[in-house]
Amino acid sequence: MKRESGPAEDEIVSADEMTGALPSVAEAMAAIETPVSTGRRASSFPIRLFVGGLSFETTGDTLKETFQACGEVLEAVVVSDRDTGRSRGFGFVTMADRRSATLAIERLDGSELDGRRIAVNPASDRPR
């Protein structure tokens, strides 16, 4: 019967139809904010951000000062080479809450710091 019916026609769909539209950074961060059993909102937990494209002259203090314009900074670290002590060109900033992190991404991603264009994104867990 299959031979008589001829070749099947494949349905063509777009990536959006298969996976749905991808959320913006703000929408993804908002999805994290859900009520927890204590009545507090999950947005109060710290968010760690990856900062790439740093100048070799950028320090943790410079990062902290820059990101404080967006909210409370709990920690700002520039990663350095363990042998030479020289900056590896990236770092991490821990913002106190989701709103501050979202604002930092929106304002600072693609901005210039110490003469270099930086990239700011939510940090992913490092594989172990």
Side-chain angles (χ1 to χ4, degrees), residues 62-93:
T62 306
L63 273 182
K64 187 171 187 170
E65 290 171 19
T66 302
F67 279 76
Q68 280 179 333
C70 301
E72 183 182 356
V73 176
L74 301 179
E75 181 183 39
V77 177
V78 174
V79 177
S80 58
D81 183 271
R82 89 179 79 163
D83 294 330
T84 65
R86 184 175 173 185
S87 169
R88 293 187 60 198
F90 67 93
F92 297 93
V93 175

Side-chain angles (χ1 to χ4, degrees), residues 45-120:
F45 65 85
I47 303 289
R48 193 168 190 218
L49 302 175
F50 169 83
V51 185
L54 295 176
S55 164
F56 293 128
E57 287 76 40
T58 301
T59 65
D61 290 338
T62 306
L63 273 182
K64 187 171 187 170
E65 290 171 19
T66 302
F67 279 76
Q68 280 179 333
C70 301
E72 183 182 356
V73 176
L74 301 179
E75 181 183 39
V77 177
V78 174
V79 177
S80 58
D81 183 271
R82 89 179 79 163
D83 294 330
T84 65
R86 184 175 173 185
S87 169
R88 293 187 60 198
F90 67 93
F92 297 93
V93 175
T94 304
M95 303 299 291
D97 56 51
R98 178 194 60 80
R99 285 181 185 87
S100 298
T102 301
L103 186 60
I105 292 169
E106 290 172 354
R107 285 188 182 175
L108 299 175
D109 184 40
S111 69
E112 192 172 303
L113 177 63
D114 291 338
R116 298 280 310 264
R117 187 170 305 277
I118 62 172
V120 181

